[in-house]
Amino acid sequence: MTAVDVSTGLEVSVVGPSVAARSELERVAIRKLRYMLDKQKGAGRGPEGGEPGPSGGGIVV
């Protein structure tokens, strides 16, 4: 499943089991897209908005 933000062109994809409901994959893709948009807004800022946060690692959506 792929989700695209039309205003920024940001695209994210998720992969799930073939037996998963389409609506569930859509929900996960939209949450991931929102997460990435929020992450871009606060790029280079830590949790307090000052110091850079840790880089790398995965995300849970």
Side-chain angles (χ1 to χ4, degrees), residues 8-57:
T8 64
L10 180 64
E11 179 178 323
V12 298
S13 295
V14 296
V15 178
S18 60
V19 295
R22 179 184 176 119
S23 60
E24 183 65 14
L25 292 176
E26 288 174 356
R27 185 189 66 78
V28 172
I30 290 168
R31 283 194 65 185
K32 184 175 180 179
L33 180 59
R34 288 180 181 152
Y35 171 84
M36 295 304 294
L37 288 168
D38 288 343
K39 188 175 176 179
Q40 280 186 344
K41 287 179 189 175
R45 296 176 184 242
E48 301 301 319
E51 294 297 317
S55 61

